[in-house]
Amino acid sequence: MKVYVKVSDTDKPYLSGSSTEALDGYVGIEGLTDDQAITALSRPNKCYMDDNGVLIVPNQIPLSQAEKDAENVKIQLSDMNKKLVDMQTTITTLTTDKSNLQTALNNANTDNANLKAQIQSMQKQSLAYMTQLAQINAELAKYKQSQSSTQGGDK
């Protein structure tokens, strides 16, 4: 990982800043381990440049109470930010689910109304068929009665 550092004008050889981007007045340093890069980026004022231009990153840097408190606040803020992002994702998912469910409900209500209309139509048709059947049965009964009276009269 390449880290860009700037030597302090007032507190040489210590650094006054560090970045992962090339900034004006910063020098690129390569070949750092991940731990060195993290330390140089998070606490540049604890690192310094020796006379040969080599970045010296102490392995164990004792943190002041203010630095410890600041790190704890950063961790808490990061956790809260992650929770907020998770909650926003959940809200977005629930909103999408609500929309999908509302669409499904609307479609189901439309299908239900269509089925009710079909049932009513079939009931009307069934009533018409039953009326026709009753008329046919009545006609049949009249016919049978007339047949039996004509056959009974011939005897």
Side-chain angles (χ1 to χ4, degrees), residues 110-152:
T110 300
D111 291 347
N112 187 33
N114 291 338
L115 288 171
K116 281 181 180 179
Q118 285 178 353
I119 288 171
Q120 288 173 349
S121 175
M122 292 173 93
Q123 285 173 337
K124 286 178 184 176
Q125 215 174 18
S126 175
L127 184 58
Y129 289 150
M130 288 172 57
T131 303
Q132 285 179 348
L133 186 59
Q135 288 172 348
I136 292 171
N137 280 336
E139 292 291 326
L140 183 61
K142 282 181 189 177
Y143 175 75
K144 283 184 181 180
Q145 206 173 35
S146 70
Q147 287 296 321
S148 68
S149 61
T150 54
Q151 286 177 357

Side-chain angles (χ1 to χ4, degrees), residues 41-60:
L41 290 169
S42 62
R43 293 185 292 279
N45 60 333
K46 302 289 183 178
C47 305
Y48 62 93
M49 199 72 97
D50 73 4
D51 294 335
N52 297 321
V54 175
L55 181 64
I56 306 299
V57 179
N59 288 336
Q60 301 261 336

Side-chain angles (χ1 to χ4, degrees), residues 63-76:
L63 297 177
S64 68
Q65 187 59 44
E67 289 173 321
K68 288 178 187 176
D69 292 344
E71 287 296 318
N72 285 336
V73 168
K74 282 183 187 177
I75 290 169
Q76 289 173 352

